[in-house]
Each structure stands twice: as C-alpha cells, then as structure tokens.
Amino acid sequence: MDNIILERISPKYFTPRNIGQSEIWNRNAVFQKGKKFLVVAPSGSGKSTLATAMLGTHFQYEGNIKYDQQPVKNLHLEQIVEHRKDGISLLFQDVRLIKNLTVSENILLRVFNQDRKKFIPKMKAYAEILGIENLLDKKAENCSYGERQRSAIIRSLINPTDFLVYDECFSHLDLDNKKIAFSLIHEVSQESGSSVIFFELNEFPFEHEYQILHL
C-alpha cells in the first residue's frame, strides 16, 4: 500500500474539540508511504477514533478513508484483515498484549505463519535496545505497563507494515526511554521504507523532522 487517503472525514456521533481549526477533520489529507507524521491533539479531539478508523475497525465517520484508491468502507472484512498483515498496523493505547503469553510469544505473533526462528535475533536486538531483554520469557501479565508498552513497540517492528500507526505509544515511558523507543521506530521504518504516524497529546520534547499535523 502506497497511500492512506482521508477525504473530508469527520466522526458521526460526536464533534471533536477544535474541529474548525483541524488540519485533518473535514479536510483532504494524504499519508504517503515512507513519510513520517506526528498528529498532535488534546484529549477529546478524536485521536483514537481516527487511528482505529484508519485501521478499519469501525466506519463511524462521514467521508472516506482509502487504502490507495479503495474506500475502506467497501472492503470485505477478509480484505481489511489482509491489509493488517503488511499494509497497516496500529499500536493501541491499551497495548493489547495477551496476558498469559510470554513477552516473546506476544512479539512473535506478528510474524504470522513465517518461520519464527529467523526473527529471534532481531527480537533480541530490539529488546536489548529497549532494555527488556531479560523479560522475553516473562508472562505479559507479570510485566509493568511500561514494560508491556516497550514489548508492544517491538511487536510492531518485528515484521513492519507499510504504515506504522502509534496511538500515544510512549505514555508510560520516561523521557530517556521515549527517545530510545522513538529512535528505534525511526531506524526500523527507514530500513523497511514504512511510513510512521504518531498520534500524541503534545509535540515530542526532542528534535525530530516529522511533519506535524494538528487534529
């Protein structure tokens, strides 16, 4: 997938704060593969609503979201699920690891039916960078929220999609760990040619070259 296109979309059942000043709601916007974006908005502006709509989990909006030229509303569920394998992924705000699986088992779920062994060196390398290499055999339910958040970031990167979407994925990390996680996401996305779309409450408190859009 090369583009995610938003055509004058707005939520059906609520009016986001600052909708009149939004650079996305009720406007046309294109997220191109390989480009990097930071979407900034205060609480109540519909960040999670938009992120999940882009993933195709609901259609509670006016206007159109397109994967290239295909309106997501017109796709069959099987086609939407297929796009989630290599087209678009979302790290949800609530992380969504399976509690009774280990961290490594959770991470390797994203490789689907491929040979898991070939992804293990990469998983270990990313875990070392994020400081959770000693947690790979620990069950997710026994990890702190910050540890689970770092685990979920690795899961998103182990087999990256064309569009990597993150909904406040650093909310339980301190500034140092936030910088490290951001650098890892950026580096992996550069290697894979993926687009990155961060949804955040505020701009990052460190230097970056991502295009900033206000929701």
Side-chain angles (χ1 to χ4, degrees):
M1 180 158 57
D2 292 321
N3 296 289
I4 296 178
I5 300 167
L6 310 185
E7 292 179 340
R8 299 192 65 80
I9 62 165
S10 61
K12 263 186 183 175
Y13 302 115
F14 74 100
T15 302
R17 293 169 58 184
N18 305 324
I19 192 167
Q21 291 76 45
S22 174
E23 294 173 311
I24 296 178
W25 294 129
N26 284 332
R27 296 175 184 271
N28 295 325
V30 179
F31 297 97
Q32 297 167 309
K33 186 181 176 186
K35 304 289 186 183
K36 319 293 187 191
F37 303 91
L38 169 58
V39 179
V40 179
S43 294
S45 299
K47 291 189 296 298
S48 296
T49 298
L50 177 58
T52 50
M54 289 170 67
L55 187 67
T57 60
H58 69 84
F59 309 108
Q60 297 169 0
Y61 55 86
E62 306 290 349
N64 264 318
I65 297 175
K66 292 181 176 176
Y67 295 161
D68 293 325
Q69 295 306 314
Q70 296 177 308
V72 180
K73 288 176 181 175
N74 295 348
L75 296 174
H76 294 295
L77 177 61
E78 291 80 8
Q79 292 174 295
I80 292 173
V81 170
E82 196 62 32
H83 276 294
R84 290 179 195 165
K85 288 183 181 175
D86 54 19
I88 179 171
S89 62
L90 167 63
L91 199 167
F92 292 89
Q93 221 173 358
D94 57 2
V95 178
R96 301 190 182 185
L97 294 186
I98 299 174
K99 291 181 178 179
N100 62 350
L101 295 184
T102 65
V103 166
S104 62
E105 288 170 336
N106 269 287
I107 292 169
L108 293 171
L109 286 174
R110 248 235 62 89
V111 309
F112 304 111
N113 295 323
Q114 299 182 66
D115 180 5
R116 294 188 173 195
K117 288 179 184 172
K118 75 177 185 180
F119 291 91
I120 289 175
K122 187 193 290 188
M123 175 180 69
K124 288 182 175 177
Y126 294 170
E128 187 175 356
I129 290 169
L130 296 188
I132 59 167
E133 68 273 24
N134 60 331
L135 302 179
L136 291 174
D137 294 326
K138 193 173 178 179
K139 285 193 175 180
E141 63 186 349
N142 296 324
C143 295
S144 70
Y145 201 93
E147 291 167 345
R148 280 184 275 150
Q149 203 161 47
R150 281 178 279 176
S151 304
I153 288 170
I154 296 173
R155 184 176 60 184
S156 74
L157 298 174
I158 198 75
N159 183 26
T161 50
D162 295 327
F163 289 83
L164 300 165
V165 184
Y166 296 95
D167 186 7
E168 295 188 48
C169 68
F170 305 136
S171 59
H172 284 72
L173 304 185
D174 60 28
L175 180 57
D176 285 342
N177 279 309
K178 192 179 290 189
K179 285 181 184 175
I180 293 169
F182 173 86
S183 295
L184 179 62
I185 292 169
H186 182 71
E187 186 179 319
V188 173
S189 67
Q190 288 291 95
E191 289 171 359
S192 62
S194 302
S195 180
V196 179
I197 306 171
F198 288 110
F199 286 86
E200 291 285 329
L201 278 172
N202 301 293
E203 293 186 17
F204 292 133
F206 46 80
E207 199 169 323
H208 63 82
E209 295 182 349
Y210 283 43
Q211 180 181 346
I212 296 174
L213 295 168
H214 294 92
L215 184 61

